[in-house]
Amino acid sequence: MKKFVAYCLMVVFIFSCSISDDSSQDIYYELLPVETATLPDEFHLGDTYEITLTYIRPSTCYAFNNIYYLKEGNQRTVAIVAYLVSGNNNCETLNEEMETSFNFKATNSGSYIFKFWLGDSNYQTVVVPVVD
């Protein structure tokens, strides 16, 4: 009798679980423009520097994911990667200024060219010389 009750409870439990989720949400990744970037006027070869970026978080459906960082020789292209939860109708407009940073180590002599993505095909270019 105990086995029968246990079997019945297990069957009820299995069939009570729903595999369809009507409130499904998709997550998309989106680049956000860099509003400002704080860099030193010059780098010393071999030293590490913190570079601070500010960006605008458009709504509560956006959250910081990572920093897009493309390295090509002494040129660096930088943008903010956010994830966007879609299918959520509870998004509130924020236009909130957020801040993040990354560490940069000057390993080459010459100058580093930073291109901060401003949206579309626009970039803010900052050239920082490396001194010994």
Side-chain angles (χ1 to χ4, degrees), residues 75-98:
Q75 180 175 296
R76 306 294 186 266
T77 304
V78 181
I80 303 297
V81 180
Y83 64 86
L84 167 63
V85 179
S86 71
N88 181 356
N89 296 330
N90 297 326
C91 298
E92 293 179 31
T93 301
L94 292 176
N95 290 323
E96 175 182 30
E97 189 173 278
M98 304 293 289

Short mmCIF file of all heavy atoms in Angstrom, two decimals, residues 75-98:
data_model
loop_
_atom_site.label_atom_id
_atom_site.label_comp_id
_atom_site.label_asym_id
_atom_site.label_seq_id
_atom_site.Cartn_x
_atom_site.Cartn_y
_atom_site.Cartn_z
N GLN A 75 46.30 50.09 -31.44
CA GLN A 75 44.96 50.69 -31.46
C GLN A 75 44.00 49.81 -30.66
O GLN A 75 44.02 48.60 -30.78
CB GLN A 75 44.46 50.84 -32.89
CG GLN A 75 43.08 51.44 -32.98
CD GLN A 75 42.68 51.69 -34.42
OE1 GLN A 75 43.31 52.49 -35.10
NE2 GLN A 75 41.64 51.01 -34.86
N ARG A 76 43.15 50.45 -29.87
CA ARG A 76 42.14 49.75 -29.07
C ARG A 76 40.78 50.37 -29.37
O ARG A 76 40.62 51.59 -29.32
CB ARG A 76 42.41 49.88 -27.56
CG ARG A 76 43.81 49.44 -27.11
CD ARG A 76 43.99 47.94 -27.32
NE ARG A 76 45.25 47.47 -26.78
CZ ARG A 76 46.37 47.34 -27.46
NH1 ARG A 76 46.41 47.69 -28.73
NH2 ARG A 76 47.46 46.86 -26.91
N THR A 77 39.82 49.51 -29.71
CA THR A 77 38.44 49.96 -29.92
C THR A 77 37.63 49.47 -28.74
O THR A 77 37.68 48.29 -28.37
CB THR A 77 37.87 49.39 -31.24
OG1 THR A 77 38.74 49.78 -32.31
CG2 THR A 77 36.47 49.91 -31.49
N VAL A 78 36.86 50.38 -28.11
CA VAL A 78 36.19 50.08 -26.84
C VAL A 78 34.72 50.51 -26.91
O VAL A 78 34.40 51.57 -27.43
CB VAL A 78 36.89 50.83 -25.67
CG1 VAL A 78 36.22 50.51 -24.35
CG2 VAL A 78 38.37 50.50 -25.62
N ALA A 79 33.84 49.63 -26.39
CA ALA A 79 32.41 49.93 -26.25
C ALA A 79 31.89 49.15 -25.06
O ALA A 79 32.58 48.29 -24.51
CB ALA A 79 31.64 49.56 -27.51
N ILE A 80 30.68 49.43 -24.67
CA ILE A 80 30.04 48.73 -23.55
C ILE A 80 29.11 47.67 -24.12
O ILE A 80 28.33 47.93 -25.04
CB ILE A 80 29.21 49.72 -22.69
CG1 ILE A 80 30.10 50.85 -22.17
CG2 ILE A 80 28.48 48.99 -21.57
CD1 ILE A 80 31.21 50.42 -21.25
N VAL A 81 29.19 46.46 -23.59
CA VAL A 81 28.29 45.39 -23.97
C VAL A 81 27.27 45.22 -22.85
O VAL A 81 27.64 44.97 -21.70
CB VAL A 81 29.02 44.05 -24.20
CG1 VAL A 81 28.04 42.96 -24.61
CG2 VAL A 81 30.13 44.21 -25.24
N ALA A 82 26.00 45.36 -23.19
CA ALA A 82 24.93 45.19 -22.21
C ALA A 82 24.04 44.06 -22.69
O ALA A 82 24.00 43.74 -23.88
CB ALA A 82 24.11 46.47 -22.07
N TYR A 83 23.35 43.43 -21.75
CA TYR A 83 22.33 42.50 -22.19
C TYR A 83 20.98 43.13 -21.94
O TYR A 83 20.77 43.89 -21.02
CB TYR A 83 22.48 41.11 -21.58
CG TYR A 83 22.30 41.00 -20.09
CD1 TYR A 83 21.04 40.83 -19.53
CD2 TYR A 83 23.39 41.00 -19.24
CE1 TYR A 83 20.87 40.71 -18.16
CE2 TYR A 83 23.24 40.87 -17.88
CZ TYR A 83 21.97 40.73 -17.35
OH TYR A 83 21.81 40.61 -15.99
N LEU A 84 20.06 42.81 -22.87
CA LEU A 84 18.72 43.37 -22.86
C LEU A 84 17.73 42.23 -22.74
O LEU A 84 17.77 41.29 -23.53
CB LEU A 84 18.47 44.15 -24.15
CG LEU A 84 17.05 44.57 -24.49
CD1 LEU A 84 16.52 45.53 -23.44
CD2 LEU A 84 17.00 45.19 -25.87
N VAL A 85 16.88 42.28 -21.73
CA VAL A 85 15.86 41.27 -21.55
C VAL A 85 14.61 41.75 -22.28
O VAL A 85 14.04 42.77 -21.93
CB VAL A 85 15.56 41.05 -20.05
CG1 VAL A 85 14.47 40.00 -19.87
CG2 VAL A 85 16.82 40.64 -19.31
N SER A 86 14.22 41.01 -23.32
CA SER A 86 13.02 41.40 -24.06
C SER A 86 11.85 40.52 -23.62
O SER A 86 12.04 39.49 -22.99
CB SER A 86 13.24 41.26 -25.56
OG SER A 86 13.30 39.89 -25.90
N GLY A 87 10.67 40.93 -23.95
CA GLY A 87 9.49 40.20 -23.54
C GLY A 87 9.03 40.59 -22.15
O GLY A 87 8.08 40.04 -21.61
N ASN A 88 9.72 41.53 -21.57
CA ASN A 88 9.38 42.01 -20.24
C ASN A 88 8.76 43.40 -20.41
O ASN A 88 9.43 44.35 -20.76
CB ASN A 88 10.65 42.09 -19.37
CG ASN A 88 10.36 42.55 -17.97
OD1 ASN A 88 9.23 42.89 -17.63
ND2 ASN A 88 11.38 42.56 -17.15
N ASN A 89 7.49 43.49 -20.16
CA ASN A 89 6.80 44.77 -20.34
C ASN A 89 6.91 45.68 -19.12
O ASN A 89 6.26 46.71 -19.06
CB ASN A 89 5.33 44.52 -20.68
CG ASN A 89 5.19 43.81 -22.01
OD1 ASN A 89 6.03 43.98 -22.89
ND2 ASN A 89 4.15 43.01 -22.15
N ASN A 90 7.71 45.29 -18.16
CA ASN A 90 7.84 46.07 -16.93
C ASN A 90 9.09 46.95 -16.94
O ASN A 90 9.58 47.31 -15.88
CB ASN A 90 7.87 45.13 -15.72
CG ASN A 90 6.58 44.35 -15.59
OD1 ASN A 90 5.51 44.85 -15.91
ND2 ASN A 90 6.68 43.11 -15.13
N CYS A 91 9.60 47.29 -18.10
CA CYS A 91 10.80 48.12 -18.19
C CYS A 91 10.46 49.56 -17.84
O CYS A 91 9.47 50.10 -18.30
CB CYS A 91 11.39 48.08 -19.60
SG CYS A 91 11.91 46.46 -20.12
N GLU A 92 11.33 50.14 -17.03
CA GLU A 92 11.18 51.55 -16.69
C GLU A 92 12.33 52.32 -17.34
O GLU A 92 13.48 51.93 -17.24
CB GLU A 92 11.24 51.75 -15.17
CG GLU A 92 10.08 51.15 -14.42
CD GLU A 92 10.20 51.37 -12.93
OE1 GLU A 92 10.78 52.39 -12.51
OE2 GLU A 92 9.74 50.49 -12.19
N THR A 93 12.00 53.43 -17.97
CA THR A 93 13.03 54.28 -18.57
C THR A 93 13.88 54.89 -17.46
O THR A 93 13.35 55.43 -16.50
CB THR A 93 12.39 55.39 -19.41
OG1 THR A 93 11.59 54.77 -20.42
CG2 THR A 93 13.44 56.26 -20.06
N LEU A 94 15.19 54.79 -17.63
CA LEU A 94 16.11 55.31 -16.61
C LEU A 94 16.98 56.44 -17.13
O LEU A 94 17.11 57.48 -16.50
CB LEU A 94 17.03 54.19 -16.11
CG LEU A 94 16.43 53.06 -15.30
CD1 LEU A 94 17.49 52.02 -14.98
CD2 LEU A 94 15.83 53.59 -14.03
N ASN A 95 17.67 56.18 -18.25
CA ASN A 95 18.72 57.06 -18.75
C ASN A 95 19.69 57.40 -17.62
O ASN A 95 20.05 58.55 -17.40
CB ASN A 95 18.14 58.31 -19.40
CG ASN A 95 17.45 57.97 -20.70
OD1 ASN A 95 17.91 57.11 -21.44
ND2 ASN A 95 16.33 58.62 -20.96
N GLU A 96 20.09 56.35 -16.92
CA GLU A 96 20.95 56.46 -15.74
C GLU A 96 22.42 56.37 -16.16
O GLU A 96 22.80 55.47 -16.90
CB GLU A 96 20.59 55.33 -14.78
CG GLU A 96 21.45 55.21 -13.56
CD GLU A 96 21.04 54.03 -12.70
OE1 GLU A 96 20.55 53.03 -13.22
OE2 GLU A 96 21.24 54.12 -11.49
N GLU A 97 23.24 57.28 -15.67
CA GLU A 97 24.67 57.24 -15.96
C GLU A 97 25.32 56.18 -15.09
O GLU A 97 25.18 56.18 -13.87
CB GLU A 97 25.31 58.60 -15.70
CG GLU A 97 26.75 58.67 -16.18
CD GLU A 97 27.32 60.07 -16.08
OE1 GLU A 97 27.06 60.88 -16.99
OE2 GLU A 97 28.00 60.34 -15.07
N MET A 98 26.04 55.26 -15.74
CA MET A 98 26.71 54.16 -15.05
C MET A 98 28.21 54.27 -15.31
O MET A 98 28.64 54.94 -16.25
CB MET A 98 26.20 52.81 -15.56
CG MET A 98 24.69 52.63 -15.47
SD MET A 98 24.09 52.54 -13.79
CE MET A 98 24.71 50.95 -13.30
#
